[in-house]
Amino acid sequence: PGMRQQRTQKGADIKAFTRVTLEELALGKASVRLGPNRTVAVSIPAGAEDGQVIRLKGQGEESPVGPPGDALVTISIRPHKHFKRQGNDLRVDIDVPLEDAVLGAKVRVPTLTGAISLKIPAWSNSGKVFKVPGKGLPGSNGKNGDILASLRIVLPDKKDPTLIELMKKWQSGREKT
């Protein structure tokens, strides 16, 4: 009697969804829940986009007569409290007191790995963008993006009579010219 070849059939693919932070994107690692009692680590490729599907080979349904299926994980990128993503660059607004914008100062700029100090020159306008190179997200080209910090000049919380008088004096001096 001839031996019958048993057909192999791959297990079913499963679909999963995970929300990742910008910090996890930067690390290239996140965890995803594939079932009630099953969480696995996922490698996120550099340059991954919102809605991208990552295939995890062999992490799907088991098969009695073949290899397990795959897990298809759709990633969703969580909004960040400081940053707006622009490709591999991260945009952030930095509040700067009026006097620091006029006189120059060092300001704290957040990064994904902790804040850094950035020197802004005197007479820096609101909206001026400073680049912090290499502190953005990893790109598929092997290079990190940048942080683009936009200055936002802010007035003191309480009305400052000295500042008001100074501005009135400055304004009247300008009207004469």
Side-chain angles (χ1 to χ4, degrees), residues 15-129:
K15 291 189 175 179
F17 177 84
T18 189
R19 296 188 65 181
V20 297
T21 63
L22 290 179
E23 288 84 355
E24 288 169 322
L25 274 184
L27 288 172
K29 293 191 184 322
S31 58
V32 61
R33 193 185 242 348
L34 293 181
N37 302 316
R38 192 162 158 235
T39 301
V40 297
V42 181
S43 289
I44 303 170
E49 295 291 337
D50 196 53
Q52 186 166 330
V53 177
I54 298 170
R55 180 180 294 271
L56 303 177
K57 285 210 172 286
Q59 295 291 340
E61 298 286 337
E62 293 292 330
S63 168
V65 291
D70 300 334
L72 304 172
V73 181
T74 302
I75 63 170
S76 169
I77 300 168
R78 292 178 189 260
H80 195 277
K81 65 181 178 182
H82 298 301
F83 299 111
K84 286 190 177 38
R85 184 179 181 193
Q86 188 175 10
N88 297 324
D89 293 336
L90 299 174
R91 290 194 159 276
V92 63
D93 291 329
I94 304 296
D95 289 347
V96 178
L98 177 63
E99 63 273 18
D100 288 352
V102 172
L103 302 173
K106 285 189 175 183
V107 296
R108 304 286 291 160
V109 175
T111 74
L112 292 173
T113 55
I116 61 161
S117 183
L118 176 71
K119 185 174 170 47
I120 60 166
W123 219 250
S124 291
N125 273 318
S126 220
K128 177 151 178 69
V129 178

